[in-house]
Every structure is written in structure tokens, then in C-alpha cells.
């Protein structure tokens, strides 16, 4: 019962963190609107795989090293900031995609590995995700907890992350929503680009504090 309550606590905390808008949400929204549902779902797979990276380094103790090293954590922050700014810049400078009558975008879709890579890098280099998992594995998940239970928790968080963002991808790639956004998609992509660059700058500035 003790472990069950901890599992439920972790599941609730993680779900609330996942549904909170951030870089992952903006990236999935952009990929689903600009490319396709397929690209959005594969990007969601990348986000889930990124969760496994955070869980793994916390389990093997690297998380403790990161939490104790200001330099190392600052490097992670700057890498994450740089990647957000890069994606935002691509959104701002991309050419407008022409929508055909059947709502199929002429913009070339991302291949599966590229879509997964975008999601994976976005999550792994997200400093807020790093802070979240460091806090989770030091405050809520106790060191004396059996390894297999920690592994199950990590797998659950990865699956929930994938499921939530796959759902977001399906919503934002739906033909009805795309039909309504067709006329302003070019501006929507640029708006998302500005938000991503803003997030990147915020992360970069927080790294120097």
C-alpha cells in the first residue's frame, strides 16, 4: 500500500506536469499543424523516449551529479535554449505551405526518424524536465524503493507522455481544425516560432542567474 500511494502520487504529479503548456506542447502543435498527424505522433514517441533518458540518469546516479554541478546543469540549459531558439527560427523563416482542396499540405512531411529525433531532443534538452525529474527522484521517490518499481514508474511516465502528446497531435492535425486554420497557418507557425524563441531566451537567461 505504501508503494501504491507513492506510485499514484508520482503519476498525478507527472500528469499535471505533462499537460502544462511548454516546449513539448509547442513542438507537437507545430509539427501537427505544419506537417501531419503522422509526424505529430512520431514526435510524441520521441518525447516518450526522452522521458526514459531522464529516468535512466536519475536511476544510475548521474542525476545527483547534475544536481551538484552548476556548470554541467548550465550546459544542459544552454543546449536546451539553443535548440528551442533553433526550432523557433525555422518556424519564422519557413516558407508558407500551400493547402490543397483536400486539406493536404504541400510542405514535405518529416520522415519517421526525423520526427522522433525532434521530439527526443526537445524533451532531453528541456531544463525544466531535468529539474522536474531531479526533484521527483529526490523528494518523492525514495532511494530505498525497489529498482523494479522505479522502472515501472519510469515506463508509466514515458507511456503517459506519449499518449498525451499523441492525443494533442491527433487534435491539431484533424482536418476540421486544419481547415479552419488554413488561412492563418502561416501566421500561426510564426507565432509558435516567436513563443519557442521566447522560451529559449528565457531558459538561456535563467542559466546565467
Amino acid at each position: 500500500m505504501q508503494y501504491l500511494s507513492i506510485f499514484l502520487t508520482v503519476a498525478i504529479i507527472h500528469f499535471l506536469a505533462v499537460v502544462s503548456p511548454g516546449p513539448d506542447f509547442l513542438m507537437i502543435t507545430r509539427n501537427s499543424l505544419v506537417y501531419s498527424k503522422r509526424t505529430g505522433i512520431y514526435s510524441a514517441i520521441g518525447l516518450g523516449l526522452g522521458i526514459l533518458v531522464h529516468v535512466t540518469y536519475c536511476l544510475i546516479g548521474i542525476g545527483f551529479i547534475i544536481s551538484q554541478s552548476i556548470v554541467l546543469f548550465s550546459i544542459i540549459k544552454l543546449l536546451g535554449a539553443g535548440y528551442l531558439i533553433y526550432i523557433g527560427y525555422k518556424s519564422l523563416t519557413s516558407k508558407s505551405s500551400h493547402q490543397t482542396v483536400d486539406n493536404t499540405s504541400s510542405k514535405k512531411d518529416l520522415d519517421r526518424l526525423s520526427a522522433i529525433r525532434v521530439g527526443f531532443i526537445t524533451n532531453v534538452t528541456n531544463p525544466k524536465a531535468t529539474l522536474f525529474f531531479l526533484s521527483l527522484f529526490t523528494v518523492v521517490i525514495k532511494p530505498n524503493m525497489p529498482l523494479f518499481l522505479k522502472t515501472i514508474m519510469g515506463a508509466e511516465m514515458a507511456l503517459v507522455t506519449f499518449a498525451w502528446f499523441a492525443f494533442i497531435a491527433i487534435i491539431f492535425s484533424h482536418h476540421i481544425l486544419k481547415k479552419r486554420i488554413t488561412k492563418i497557418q502561416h501566421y500561426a507557425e510564426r507565432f509558435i516560432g516567436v513563443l519557442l524563441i521566447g522560451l529559449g531566451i528565457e531558459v538561456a537567461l535563467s542559466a546565467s542567474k
Side-chain angles (χ1 to χ4, degrees):
M1 288 298 294
Q2 175 189 358
Y3 290 143
L4 178 60
S5 63
I6 294 176
F7 180 86
L8 293 175
T9 300
V10 169
I12 293 172
I13 292 174
H14 173 255
F15 180 73
L16 292 176
V18 167
V19 300
S20 300
D24 295 349
F25 178 83
L26 290 176
M27 183 275 297
I28 288 293
T29 301
R30 174 184 180 273
N31 282 2
S32 301
L33 283 174
V34 175
Y35 297 107
S36 65
K37 178 175 69 175
R38 172 182 171 278
T39 293
I41 290 177
Y42 276 109
S43 298
I45 291 175
L47 293 176
L49 293 176
I51 294 295
L52 294 179
V53 172
H54 292 298
V55 171
T56 300
Y57 66 63
C58 286
L59 288 179
I60 64 179
I62 296 179
F64 177 77
I65 297 175
I66 294 175
S67 66
Q68 299 300 312
S69 174
I70 297 177
V71 174
L72 183 57
F73 187 67
S74 294
I75 290 174
I76 294 174
K77 277 189 172 185
L78 291 175
L79 287 174
Y83 191 69
L84 289 176
I85 293 173
Y86 168 72
I87 297 177
Y89 174 77
K90 286 186 66 177
S91 295
L92 286 176
T93 58
S94 65
K95 295 181 180 180
S96 179
S97 57
H98 174 71
Q99 294 282 340
T100 58
V101 178
D102 64 355
N103 273 343
T104 301
S105 175
S106 64
K107 179 169 285 190
K108 185 178 180 181
D109 204 3
L110 294 180
D111 61 77
R112 288 179 293 180
L113 288 179
S114 295
I116 291 173
R117 182 170 62 248
V118 171
F120 180 78
I121 296 176
T122 300
N123 187 272
V124 169
T125 60
N126 182 0
K128 292 184 178 180
T130 302
L131 282 174
F132 172 78
F133 280 94
L134 289 176
S135 301
L136 197 64
F137 276 81
T138 54
V139 177
V140 183
I141 302 176
K142 304 302 180 183
N144 61 347
M145 183 177 293
L147 180 60
F148 80 93
L149 284 178
K150 294 179 181 179
T151 303
I152 291 175
M153 288 182 183
E156 184 271 338
M157 288 186 280
L159 288 173
V160 168
T161 298
F162 162 71
W164 171 254
F165 287 111
F167 170 73
I168 295 298
I170 292 171
I171 294 297
F172 279 93
S173 62
H174 195 278
H175 68 91
I176 294 179
L177 183 59
K178 276 199 168 186
K179 185 177 181 179
R180 293 180 179 276
I181 298 179
T182 294
K183 295 182 180 179
I184 62 169
Q185 181 171 325
H186 188 57
Y187 301 101
E189 185 176 359
R190 273 149 179 69
F191 177 68
I192 292 175
V194 170
L195 292 179
L196 286 169
I197 290 175
L199 278 174
I201 293 174
E202 179 187 359
V203 169
L205 292 177
S206 67
S208 62
K209 291 180 181 181

